[in-house]
Amino acid sequence: MKILLTNDDGIDAISLTILAEELINLGFTNIIVVAPKIGVSGVGRMLKMSKDDGIITSHKRLISNHIIEYHGVTGSPALSVAHALFEILIDLPDVCISGINKGENIGRAMQFSGTIGAAMEAAAQQVPAFSLSLENPFKDSWSELVNENGEYKQKVRIAAKQFALYMHNYLEVHGSFKKLSGHVININYPSTVAKDTPKVYAPQSKFHHYAWERAVKRDFTKPYLLPYKRAEHVQYFEPQSDIYQLMVNRNITFTALSTRFENENPEKLNI
């Protein structure tokens, strides 16, 4: 099975390496990594970013005693996938896995996710795709936790192990991911993820789990990031939705999406 790994956090993201390690540990050794050369988050399925788009830096890395090809693309996550499918690879991969993202992609936030955008680009070419994200704990940034105590890497490792096992078990039953062609399975892991965290199928919420705040008076000629905060009262969101199941019930959520950004019936896809 040929696996295309990508992300929006950049080719050097530790989560990408950990995911590759855990896939290899379960026997998935035919892996190629094609991802943005640097982190490019929040760009959705954008393809055009700069005049330097399409510059590719290639090398090989030793991951769990296997030589893996790495291709860093100057450009967006979706563009990286396009170069993988139409330039770097001779044949289409059997599956594209995007992630593990540093921060959840749920509710209306899906629409600007670079992680999901990369997976959508693969799905648009009829390549079965998964997008994987690990919830931000909100108490600190994950980057701070990485430096402090390695909690981020520990949680990424648990999520990667669970996903690799899910892939193994799915293929044991279905033999391939062909039934998922044209779809993205969006999986979000809570920041509290553990070996026994339940998995649930949850449709996309119609709400946004972040809320913009009014901008302060400022100099329009200077760069500025609009302030935002975590949405209040998520416990009143739709009980079956991805936001509620992840943020309130603390479950791993599976949401089946089509390239039309519509929720799909998970039973139809056997996920």
Side-chain angles (χ1 to χ4, degrees), residues 34-46:
V34 185
K37 193 172 182 179
I38 61 173
V40 187
S41 296
V43 298
R45 199 180 158 195
M46 177 189 291

Side-chain angles (χ1 to χ4, degrees), residues 3 11 29 43 60 85 98 104 135-136 140 145 158 169 198-199 213 221 229 238 251:
I3 298 173
I11 199 165
T29 58
V43 298
K60 295 180 181 180
L85 301 183
S98 181
E104 67 281 358
E135 179 194 26
N136 188 311
D140 290 294
L145 290 174
I158 294 171
N169 291 342
K199 303 177 183 66
E213 296 187 300
T221 66
K229 64 179 180 179
E238 317 98 312
N251 291 324

Side-chain angles (χ1 to χ4, degrees), residues 130-133 163 166 185-189 252-255:
F130 292 87
S131 58
L132 314 178
S133 302
F163 178 72
Y166 167 80
I185 309 305
N186 185 41
I187 305 176
N188 284 270
Y189 298 87
I252 299 169
T253 62
F254 283 60
T255 304

Side-chain angles (χ1 to χ4, degrees), residues 14-264:
I14 187 63
S15 56
L16 198 58
T17 300
I18 291 174
L19 180 57
E21 290 172 348
E22 294 303 329
L23 289 169
I24 290 170
N25 290 343
L26 274 188
F28 299 107
T29 58
N30 192 2
I31 294 172
I32 186 168
V33 177
V34 185
K37 193 172 182 179
I38 61 173
V40 187
S41 296
V43 298
R45 199 180 158 195
M46 177 189 291
L47 293 175
K48 182 66 177 175
M49 292 189 64
S50 77
K51 60 181 178 62
D52 294 324
D53 284 351
I55 297 175
I56 300 175
T57 303
S58 302
H59 60 280
K60 295 180 181 180
R61 298 184 189 180
L62 183 64
I63 307 292
S64 296
N65 296 316
H66 287 78
I67 302 296
I68 304 297
E69 285 186 29
Y70 273 66
H71 303 271
V73 179
T74 300
S76 70
L79 184 65
S80 298
V81 170
H83 279 283
L85 301 183
F86 295 102
E87 183 176 23
I88 296 170
L89 292 169
I90 296 175
D91 299 311
L92 291 179
D94 296 291
V95 65
C96 174
I97 306 168
S98 181
I100 297 172
N101 189 62
K102 190 187 293 184
E104 67 281 358
N105 282 304
I106 50 179
R108 293 310 183 205
M110 288 187 195
Q111 296 169 350
F112 55 75
S113 165
T115 304
I116 295 178
M120 279 287 177
E121 185 62 30
Q125 310 305 328
Q126 297 303 302
V127 175
F130 292 87
S131 58
L132 314 178
S133 302
L134 176 62
E135 179 194 26
N136 188 311
F138 290 100
K139 60 184 179 180
D140 290 294
S141 72
W142 271 128
S143 58
E144 291 170 347
L145 290 174
V146 170
N147 295 330
E148 289 176 3
N149 53 28
E151 182 181 349
Y152 171 70
K153 286 184 276 190
Q154 176 190 355
K155 296 301 184 181
V156 167
R157 180 74 64 182
I158 294 171
K161 283 180 181 289
Q162 290 214 13
F163 178 72
L165 183 59
Y166 167 80
M167 271 190 60
H168 178 271
N169 291 342
Y170 184 99
L171 293 171
E172 283 282 302
V173 175
H174 303 289
S176 75
F177 291 116
K178 289 182 179 179
K179 194 161 188 176
L180 305 183
S181 296
H183 296 84
V184 173
I185 309 305
N186 185 41
I187 305 176
N188 284 270
Y189 298 87
S191 59
T192 54
V193 65
K195 292 180 180 179
D196 58 351
T197 301
K199 303 177 183 66
V200 299
Y201 302 105
Q204 180 187 13
S205 174
K206 65 181 180 181
F207 298 111
H208 202 303
H209 67 296
Y210 284 104
W212 293 111
E213 296 187 300
R214 191 71 186 173
V216 299
K217 188 174 181 179
R218 67 180 183 93
D219 181 351
F220 279 7
T221 66
K222 302 293 179 61
Y224 182 75
L225 178 64
L226 276 173
Y228 59 89
K229 64 179 180 179
R230 182 180 183 178
E232 298 177 355
H233 310 305
V234 295
Q235 68 270 25
Y236 299 117
F237 286 12
E238 317 98 312
Q240 300 304 316
S241 71
D242 54 353
I243 292 179
Y244 190 97
Q245 289 297 322
L246 181 78
M247 299 179 69
V248 179
N249 286 356
R250 314 307 296 154
N251 291 324
I252 299 169
T253 62
F254 283 60
T255 304
L257 305 171
S258 76
T259 50
R260 300 184 301 276
F261 264 109
E262 295 175 345
N263 291 288
E264 291 284 347

